[in-house]
Amino acid sequence: MFDLHGRKINKLRISLSEACNMACTYCVSSLHDHKRDPDELKAKQIISLVHMLKDHAGIEKIRLTGGEPLLYPNLIQVIAGIREMGLSSIGMTTNGQLLARKAEALAKAGLKSVNLSLDSLQPEKFKSLGRVGKLYKTLEGIEACLQNGLSVKVNMVVIKGENENEIVDMLEYGLTHGIEIRFLELMAMGPLYKKDDYKLVSMHEMLERISARFTVKPVSADQDSTSLRYWVPGGYFGIIPNNSAPFCSTCSRLRLTSNGQLIGCLSNPTPISIHHLLNHPDPADALQKIVKKSISYKQDFAFTGSALVMSRVGG
Ligand code: SAM
């Protein structure tokens, strides 16, 4: 489906659950902010909604996220159900804490790619940024993904005075393991919304640090990619410049919350429920109207901030 600005919307991000086993300081104010929604969708309901969105709204690519998707009880069932309907592009974004023992089953069910959130390679810093969680568990999760043939990317949110001194270390870790690292600019969401100084490290500052150590050359990325891509000797890395060079103009995403609401835009998150369509004998028309409405909220150009936390909208 196309939005008012002519953008093709074909990717769906599903926040399977708002529950999370970490509480990253830039994402939430405390672990208690990650509450499982009492009306969280069951696996069968998620599969039905994805089916409808595929058949009637042109959704082709799925990313499972949250909250923490590995806390969703029937994750394997969801993945297998999505694969059975013929969608093969199934990715997941995770903190990786529970990944080591699940990676094999996830790959067998049909998961293709995993984006791991990893903000520090120093155990103490990892703990202070995430409040909960252990570095070695995420690193073991990454290893398990690689061993099971899953495509892996690592996302590092760069925060002034916290982990900006680790940018080069993280890139070297990626190059050693054949993993593309993507450095994210902080977004003014949740606890950071309307804060004057939210410890932003700009894309230019990131590039400065990397260029001091490596020869860096820009290369082209997928047309609707959120990241700018660069070559360095031995591999590639990306920067997701939410502020410096917003990717709104090529946005192809729609989001589904854990309780069955569609959100068309991070900056303008006006949720519209599609839960009731689960009982509809012929949902096509109603669904298309809702999807059109939802994507009509999409911003034309730049992310302007949001009070909602990422785990609600599906980060
Ligand atoms: N729990 C999973 C994880 O940690 O990957 C999935 C959900 S998490 C909300 C998804 C991504 O959103 C993570 O990479 C996290 O770093 C990012 N994120 C959350 N709040 C952010 C913010 N204010 N700015 C930039 N990225 C943010």
Side-chain angles (χ1 to χ4, degrees), residues 127-166:
K127 184 71 194 286
S128 73
L129 287 175
R131 291 200 183 97
V132 200
K134 298 224 164 25
L135 171 63
Y136 80 89
K137 292 188 179 178
T138 297
L139 296 179
E140 284 178 3
I142 293 175
E143 286 293 331
C145 287
L146 295 173
Q147 279 162 15
N148 286 284
L150 288 160
S151 155
V152 175
K153 285 184 182 151
V154 161
N155 290 340
M156 173 185 182
V157 179
V158 185
I159 308 154
K160 177 112 358 201
E162 298 282 359
N163 62 356
E164 60 186 326
N165 57 344
E166 286 194 65

mmCIF file of all heavy atoms in Angstrom, residues 127-166:
data_model
loop_
_atom_site.group_PDB
_atom_site.id
_atom_site.type_symbol
_atom_site.label_atom_id
_atom_site.label_comp_id
_atom_site.label_asym_id
_atom_site.label_seq_id
_atom_site.Cartn_x
_atom_site.Cartn_y
_atom_site.Cartn_z
ATOM 1 N N LYS A 127 25.954 -3.150 32.164
ATOM 2 C CA LYS A 127 25.016 -3.250 33.284
ATOM 3 C C LYS A 127 24.440 -1.878 33.633
ATOM 4 O O LYS A 127 23.235 -1.741 33.867
ATOM 5 C CB LYS A 127 25.764 -3.846 34.480
ATOM 6 C CG LYS A 127 24.945 -4.119 35.724
ATOM 7 C CD LYS A 127 24.011 -5.293 35.529
ATOM 8 C CE LYS A 127 22.964 -5.379 36.622
ATOM 9 N NZ LYS A 127 23.483 -5.837 37.869
ATOM 10 N N SER A 128 25.269 -0.848 33.639
ATOM 11 C CA SER A 128 24.737 0.453 34.066
ATOM 12 C C SER A 128 23.797 1.043 33.007
ATOM 13 O O SER A 128 22.808 1.687 33.332
ATOM 14 C CB SER A 128 25.854 1.431 34.449
ATOM 15 O OG SER A 128 26.508 1.886 33.306
ATOM 16 N N LEU A 129 24.052 0.762 31.741
ATOM 17 C CA LEU A 129 23.150 1.295 30.699
ATOM 18 C C LEU A 129 21.842 0.508 30.633
ATOM 19 O O LEU A 129 20.787 1.067 30.366
ATOM 20 C CB LEU A 129 23.837 1.262 29.326
ATOM 21 C CG LEU A 129 24.925 2.293 29.092
ATOM 22 C CD1 LEU A 129 25.605 2.060 27.743
ATOM 23 C CD2 LEU A 129 24.351 3.707 29.153
ATOM 24 N N GLY A 130 21.939 -0.803 30.867
ATOM 25 C CA GLY A 130 20.735 -1.647 30.736
ATOM 26 C C GLY A 130 20.014 -1.903 32.051
ATOM 27 O O GLY A 130 18.933 -2.477 32.062
ATOM 28 N N ARG A 131 20.626 -1.488 33.144
ATOM 29 C CA ARG A 131 20.133 -1.674 34.517
ATOM 30 C C ARG A 131 20.069 -3.159 34.917
ATOM 31 O O ARG A 131 20.336 -3.508 36.045
ATOM 32 C CB ARG A 131 18.736 -1.051 34.708
ATOM 33 C CG ARG A 131 18.725 0.477 34.659
ATOM 34 C CD ARG A 131 17.464 0.997 35.328
ATOM 35 N NE ARG A 131 17.347 2.430 35.261
ATOM 36 C CZ ARG A 131 16.624 3.093 34.350
ATOM 37 N NH1 ARG A 131 15.961 2.420 33.423
ATOM 38 N NH2 ARG A 131 16.550 4.384 34.378
ATOM 39 N N VAL A 132 19.638 -4.010 34.024
ATOM 40 C CA VAL A 132 19.555 -5.449 34.281
ATOM 41 C C VAL A 132 20.312 -6.116 33.125
ATOM 42 O O VAL A 132 20.517 -5.501 32.099
ATOM 43 C CB VAL A 132 18.090 -5.947 34.237
ATOM 44 C CG1 VAL A 132 17.927 -7.281 34.955
ATOM 45 C CG2 VAL A 132 17.136 -4.913 34.779
ATOM 46 N N GLY A 133 20.685 -7.381 33.310
ATOM 47 C CA GLY A 133 21.278 -8.091 32.181
ATOM 48 C C GLY A 133 22.785 -8.236 32.291
ATOM 49 O O GLY A 133 23.443 -7.490 33.013
ATOM 50 N N LYS A 134 23.302 -9.218 31.564
ATOM 51 C CA LYS A 134 24.738 -9.519 31.629
ATOM 52 C C LYS A 134 25.321 -9.547 30.217
ATOM 53 O O LYS A 134 24.759 -10.167 29.307
ATOM 54 C CB LYS A 134 24.944 -10.882 32.276
ATOM 55 C CG LYS A 134 24.435 -10.964 33.714
ATOM 56 C CD LYS A 134 25.448 -11.679 34.569
ATOM 57 C CE LYS A 134 25.269 -11.509 36.065
ATOM 58 N NZ LYS A 134 23.968 -11.205 36.575
ATOM 59 N N LEU A 135 26.466 -8.892 30.070
ATOM 60 C CA LEU A 135 27.105 -8.791 28.765
ATOM 61 C C LEU A 135 27.363 -10.171 28.149
ATOM 62 O O LEU A 135 27.084 -10.403 26.976
ATOM 63 C CB LEU A 135 28.425 -8.016 28.904
ATOM 64 C CG LEU A 135 29.323 -7.999 27.674
ATOM 65 C CD1 LEU A 135 28.649 -7.298 26.501
ATOM 66 C CD2 LEU A 135 30.659 -7.331 27.983
ATOM 67 N N TYR A 136 27.895 -11.112 28.965
ATOM 68 C CA TYR A 136 28.295 -12.395 28.369
ATOM 69 C C TYR A 136 27.105 -13.123 27.753
ATOM 70 O O TYR A 136 27.233 -13.833 26.762
ATOM 71 C CB TYR A 136 29.028 -13.271 29.404
ATOM 72 C CG TYR A 136 28.134 -13.998 30.377
ATOM 73 C CD1 TYR A 136 27.637 -15.264 30.077
ATOM 74 C CD2 TYR A 136 27.770 -13.433 31.598
ATOM 75 C CE1 TYR A 136 26.801 -15.933 30.961
ATOM 76 C CE2 TYR A 136 26.946 -14.083 32.475
ATOM 77 C CZ TYR A 136 26.461 -15.337 32.158
ATOM 78 O OH TYR A 136 25.626 -15.985 33.024
ATOM 79 N N LYS A 137 25.909 -12.909 28.299
ATOM 80 C CA LYS A 137 24.739 -13.595 27.743
ATOM 81 C C LYS A 137 24.422 -13.097 26.336
ATOM 82 O O LYS A 137 24.095 -13.869 25.447
ATOM 83 C CB LYS A 137 23.512 -13.378 28.645
ATOM 84 C CG LYS A 137 23.636 -14.070 29.981
ATOM 85 C CD LYS A 137 22.325 -13.991 30.727
ATOM 86 C CE LYS A 137 22.424 -14.699 32.063
ATOM 87 N NZ LYS A 137 21.203 -14.599 32.834
ATOM 88 N N THR A 138 24.509 -11.790 26.134
ATOM 89 C CA THR A 138 24.255 -11.247 24.791
ATOM 90 C C THR A 138 25.339 -11.724 23.822
ATOM 91 O O THR A 138 25.040 -12.101 22.682
ATOM 92 C CB THR A 138 24.187 -9.705 24.847
ATOM 93 O OG1 THR A 138 23.082 -9.342 25.678
ATOM 94 C CG2 THR A 138 23.972 -9.101 23.469
ATOM 95 N N LEU A 139 26.599 -11.736 24.289
ATOM 96 C CA LEU A 139 27.680 -12.199 23.407
ATOM 97 C C LEU A 139 27.485 -13.673 23.047
ATOM 98 O O LEU A 139 27.681 -14.079 21.893
ATOM 99 C CB LEU A 139 29.048 -11.973 24.070
ATOM 100 C CG LEU A 139 29.422 -10.499 24.326
ATOM 101 C CD1 LEU A 139 30.786 -10.393 25.001
ATOM 102 C CD2 LEU A 139 29.421 -9.682 23.029
ATOM 103 N N GLU A 140 27.040 -14.483 24.021
ATOM 104 C CA GLU A 140 26.775 -15.899 23.712
ATOM 105 C C GLU A 140 25.609 -16.027 22.729
ATOM 106 O O GLU A 140 25.596 -16.898 21.869
ATOM 107 C CB GLU A 140 26.438 -16.667 25.003
ATOM 108 C CG GLU A 140 27.660 -16.947 25.845
ATOM 109 C CD GLU A 140 27.346 -17.667 27.158
ATOM 110 O OE1 GLU A 140 26.163 -18.016 27.402
ATOM 111 O OE2 GLU A 140 28.278 -17.861 27.937
ATOM 112 N N GLY A 141 24.634 -15.147 22.889
ATOM 113 C CA GLY A 141 23.490 -15.150 21.968
ATOM 114 C C GLY A 141 23.939 -14.863 20.537
ATOM 115 O O GLY A 141 23.472 -15.484 19.582
ATOM 116 N N ILE A 142 24.857 -13.915 20.386
ATOM 117 C CA ILE A 142 25.369 -13.575 19.049
ATOM 118 C C ILE A 142 26.075 -14.792 18.437
ATOM 119 O O ILE A 142 25.844 -15.157 17.284
ATOM 120 C CB ILE A 142 26.337 -12.368 19.141
ATOM 121 C CG1 ILE A 142 25.544 -11.115 19.542
ATOM 122 C CG2 ILE A 142 27.071 -12.143 17.820
ATOM 123 C CD1 ILE A 142 26.387 -9.869 19.789
ATOM 124 N N GLU A 143 26.918 -15.440 19.255
ATOM 125 C CA GLU A 143 27.629 -16.634 18.776
ATOM 126 C C GLU A 143 26.643 -17.695 18.317
ATOM 127 O O GLU A 143 26.804 -18.314 17.258
ATOM 128 C CB GLU A 143 28.496 -17.238 19.913
ATOM 129 C CG GLU A 143 29.741 -16.448 20.234
ATOM 130 C CD GLU A 143 30.741 -16.469 19.087
ATOM 131 O OE1 GLU A 143 30.769 -17.445 18.324
ATOM 132 O OE2 GLU A 143 31.467 -15.469 18.941
ATOM 133 N N ALA A 144 25.600 -17.917 19.111
ATOM 134 C CA ALA A 144 24.618 -18.958 18.793
ATOM 135 C C ALA A 144 23.904 -18.642 17.470
ATOM 136 O O ALA A 144 23.636 -19.533 16.667
ATOM 137 C CB ALA A 144 23.603 -19.093 19.927
ATOM 138 N N CYS A 145 23.628 -17.384 17.233
ATOM 139 C CA CYS A 145 22.983 -16.997 15.964
ATOM 140 C C CYS A 145 23.897 -17.318 14.795
ATOM 141 O O CYS A 145 23.468 -17.894 13.791
ATOM 142 C CB CYS A 145 22.681 -15.499 15.942
ATOM 143 S SG CYS A 145 21.333 -15.036 16.991
ATOM 144 N N LEU A 146 25.171 -16.956 14.936
ATOM 145 C CA LEU A 146 26.117 -17.192 13.841
ATOM 146 C C LEU A 146 26.253 -18.695 13.578
ATOM 147 O O LEU A 146 26.257 -19.144 12.433
ATOM 148 C CB LEU A 146 27.477 -16.571 14.169
ATOM 149 C CG LEU A 146 27.495 -15.032 14.285
ATOM 150 C CD1 LEU A 146 28.846 -14.535 14.781
ATOM 151 C CD2 LEU A 146 27.162 -14.378 12.937
ATOM 152 N N GLN A 147 26.314 -19.482 14.659
ATOM 153 C CA GLN A 147 26.456 -20.932 14.491
ATOM 154 C C GLN A 147 25.239 -21.544 13.803
ATOM 155 O O GLN A 147 25.329 -22.572 13.155
ATOM 156 C CB GLN A 147 26.642 -21.604 15.855
ATOM 157 C CG GLN A 147 28.062 -21.533 16.360
ATOM 158 C CD GLN A 147 28.167 -21.802 17.847
ATOM 159 O OE1 GLN A 147 27.222 -22.308 18.456
ATOM 160 N NE2 GLN A 147 29.300 -21.451 18.427
ATOM 161 N N ASN A 148 24.086 -20.914 13.969
ATOM 162 C CA ASN A 148 22.859 -21.466 13.393
ATOM 163 C C ASN A 148 22.460 -20.787 12.082
ATOM 164 O O ASN A 148 21.323 -20.898 11.643
ATOM 165 C CB ASN A 148 21.721 -21.395 14.409
ATOM 166 C CG ASN A 148 21.893 -22.449 15.489
ATOM 167 O OD1 ASN A 148 21.639 -23.633 15.250
ATOM 168 N ND2 ASN A 148 22.368 -22.044 16.661
ATOM 169 N N GLY A 149 23.410 -20.093 11.482
ATOM 170 C CA GLY A 149 23.183 -19.551 10.139
ATOM 171 C C GLY A 149 22.260 -18.346 10.084
ATOM 172 O O GLY A 149 21.768 -17.998 8.998
ATOM 173 N N LEU A 150 22.019 -17.715 11.218
ATOM 174 C CA LEU A 150 21.169 -16.514 11.199
ATOM 175 C C LEU A 150 22.012 -15.305 10.804
ATOM 176 O O LEU A 150 23.162 -15.177 11.231
ATOM 177 C CB LEU A 150 20.563 -16.294 12.591
ATOM 178 C CG LEU A 150 19.473 -17.296 12.970
ATOM 179 C CD1 LEU A 150 19.284 -17.340 14.489
ATOM 180 C CD2 LEU A 150 18.162 -16.938 12.293
ATOM 181 N N SER A 151 21.431 -14.439 10.015
ATOM 182 C CA SER A 151 22.135 -13.210 9.653
ATOM 183 C C SER A 151 22.067 -12.261 10.859
ATOM 184 O O SER A 151 21.002 -12.081 11.449
ATOM 185 C CB SER A 151 21.440 -12.630 8.419
ATOM 186 O OG SER A 151 21.645 -11.276 8.355
ATOM 187 N N VAL A 152 23.214 -11.677 11.221
ATOM 188 C CA VAL A 152 23.284 -10.880 12.457
ATOM 189 C C VAL A 152 23.744 -9.457 12.183
ATOM 190 O O VAL A 152 24.694 -9.236 11.425
ATOM 191 C CB VAL A 152 24.273 -11.529 13.465
ATOM 192 C CG1 VAL A 152 24.461 -10.650 14.698
ATOM 193 C CG2 VAL A 152 23.792 -12.907 13.896
ATOM 194 N N LYS A 153 23.048 -8.502 12.788
ATOM 195 C CA LYS A 153 23.551 -7.129 12.859
ATOM 196 C C LYS A 153 23.525 -6.718 14.326
ATOM 197 O O LYS A 153 22.686 -7.218 15.082
ATOM 198 C CB LYS A 153 22.666 -6.175 12.052
ATOM 199 C CG LYS A 153 22.886 -6.311 10.560
ATOM 200 C CD LYS A 153 22.084 -5.312 9.780
ATOM 201 C CE LYS A 153 22.296 -5.535 8.284
ATOM 202 N NZ LYS A 153 21.138 -5.132 7.499
ATOM 203 N N VAL A 154 24.417 -5.813 14.689
ATOM 204 C CA VAL A 154 24.421 -5.321 16.070
ATOM 205 C C VAL A 154 24.065 -3.843 16.058
ATOM 206 O O VAL A 154 24.606 -3.071 15.249
ATOM 207 C CB VAL A 154 25.809 -5.555 16.721
ATOM 208 C CG1 VAL A 154 25.998 -4.661 17.941
ATOM 209 C CG2 VAL A 154 25.974 -7.016 17.124
ATOM 210 N N ASN A 155 23.134 -3.457 16.912
ATOM 211 C CA ASN A 155 22.759 -2.042 17.050
ATOM 212 C C ASN A 155 23.336 -1.487 18.340
ATOM 213 O O ASN A 155 23.091 -2.036 19.420
ATOM 214 C CB ASN A 155 21.232 -1.891 17.135
ATOM 215 C CG ASN A 155 20.557 -2.198 15.814
ATOM 216 O OD1 ASN A 155 21.181 -2.167 14.758
ATOM 217 N ND2 ASN A 155 19.267 -2.505 15.882
ATOM 218 N N MET A 156 24.087 -0.400 18.228
ATOM 219 C CA MET A 156 24.633 0.254 19.428
ATOM 220 C C MET A 156 24.075 1.680 19.482
ATOM 221 O O MET A 156 24.333 2.477 18.568
ATOM 222 C CB MET A 156 26.163 0.306 19.350
ATOM 223 C CG MET A 156 26.806 1.113 20.460
ATOM 224 S SD MET A 156 28.602 1.235 20.184
ATOM 225 C CE MET A 156 29.107 2.148 21.634
ATOM 226 N N VAL A 157 23.326 1.985 20.533
ATOM 227 C CA VAL A 157 22.867 3.364 20.724
ATOM 228 C C VAL A 157 24.026 4.125 21.368
ATOM 229 O O VAL A 157 24.535 3.721 22.414
ATOM 230 C CB VAL A 157 21.627 3.423 21.639
ATOM 231 C CG1 VAL A 157 21.193 4.867 21.850
ATOM 232 C CG2 VAL A 157 20.481 2.618 21.051
ATOM 233 N N VAL A 158 24.468 5.196 20.725
ATOM 234 C CA VAL A 158 25.648 5.919 21.216
ATOM 235 C C VAL A 158 25.193 7.086 22.095
ATOM 236 O O VAL A 158 24.369 7.906 21.688
ATOM 237 C CB VAL A 158 26.512 6.420 20.042
ATOM 238 C CG1 VAL A 158 27.789 7.045 20.570
ATOM 239 C CG2 VAL A 158 26.841 5.266 19.093
ATOM 240 N N ILE A 159 25.752 7.132 23.309
ATOM 241 C CA ILE A 159 25.288 8.102 24.303
ATOM 242 C C ILE A 159 26.472 8.908 24.830
ATOM 243 O O ILE A 159 27.475 8.342 25.281
ATOM 244 C CB ILE A 159 24.597 7.365 25.468
ATOM 245 C CG1 ILE A 159 23.525 6.426 24.919
ATOM 246 C CG2 ILE A 159 23.982 8.348 26.457
ATOM 247 C CD1 ILE A 159 23.230 5.264 25.817
ATOM 248 N N LYS A 160 26.299 10.220 24.755
ATOM 249 C CA LYS A 160 27.378 11.142 25.162
ATOM 250 C C LYS A 160 27.835 10.863 26.594
ATOM 251 O O LYS A 160 27.016 10.713 27.497
ATOM 252 C CB LYS A 160 26.873 12.581 25.029
ATOM 253 C CG LYS A 160 27.804 13.624 25.453
ATOM 254 C CD LYS A 160 28.409 14.565 24.443
ATOM 255 C CE LYS A 160 28.193 14.530 23.014
ATOM 256 N NZ LYS A 160 29.013 15.079 22.074
ATOM 257 N N GLY A 161 29.129 10.758 26.771
ATOM 258 C CA GLY A 161 29.693 10.581 28.108
ATOM 259 C C GLY A 161 29.482 9.183 28.679
ATOM 260 O O GLY A 161 29.876 8.905 29.807
ATOM 261 N N GLU A 162 28.858 8.308 27.917
ATOM 262 C CA GLU A 162 28.585 6.955 28.424
ATOM 263 C C GLU A 162 29.377 5.896 27.644
ATOM 264 O O GLU A 162 30.183 5.192 28.217
ATOM 265 C CB GLU A 162 27.085 6.637 28.333
ATOM 266 C CG GLU A 162 26.202 7.540 29.168
ATOM 267 C CD GLU A 162 26.221 7.156 30.637
ATOM 268 O OE1 GLU A 162 26.894 6.179 31.002
ATOM 269 O OE2 GLU A 162 25.573 7.859 31.433
ATOM 270 N N ASN A 163 29.104 5.802 26.344
ATOM 271 C CA ASN A 163 29.745 4.727 25.571
ATOM 272 C C ASN A 163 30.337 5.227 24.253
ATOM 273 O O ASN A 163 30.742 4.422 23.431
ATOM 274 C CB ASN A 163 28.745 3.587 25.303
ATOM 275 C CG ASN A 163 27.560 4.056 24.482
ATOM 276 O OD1 ASN A 163 27.440 5.250 24.176
ATOM 277 N ND2 ASN A 163 26.675 3.139 24.131
ATOM 278 N N GLU A 164 30.386 6.564 24.068
ATOM 279 C CA GLU A 164 30.911 7.061 22.796
ATOM 280 C C GLU A 164 32.383 6.675 22.609
ATOM 281 O O GLU A 164 32.845 6.532 21.481
ATOM 282 C CB GLU A 164 30.729 8.579 22.678
ATOM 283 C CG GLU A 164 31.434 9.327 23.780
ATOM 284 C CD GLU A 164 31.142 10.831 23.758
ATOM 285 O OE1 GLU A 164 30.983 11.399 22.675
ATOM 286 O OE2 GLU A 164 31.093 11.411 24.839
ATOM 287 N N ASN A 165 33.087 6.457 23.740
ATOM 288 C CA ASN A 165 34.504 6.055 23.643
ATOM 289 C C ASN A 165 34.658 4.594 23.198
ATOM 290 O O ASN A 165 35.758 4.104 23.033
ATOM 291 C CB ASN A 165 35.209 6.268 24.988
ATOM 292 C CG ASN A 165 34.522 5.502 26.110
ATOM 293 O OD1 ASN A 165 33.382 5.065 25.939
ATOM 294 N ND2 ASN A 165 35.181 5.326 27.228
ATOM 295 N N GLU A 166 33.543 3.890 23.020
ATOM 296 C CA GLU A 166 33.618 2.481 22.610
ATOM 297 C C GLU A 166 33.266 2.263 21.139
ATOM 298 O O GLU A 166 33.152 1.124 20.689
ATOM 299 C CB GLU A 166 32.664 1.646 23.460
ATOM 300 C CG GLU A 166 33.131 1.413 24.876
ATOM 301 C CD GLU A 166 32.306 0.314 25.531
ATOM 302 O OE1 GLU A 166 32.369 -0.840 25.084
ATOM 303 O OE2 GLU A 166 31.578 0.644 26.480
#
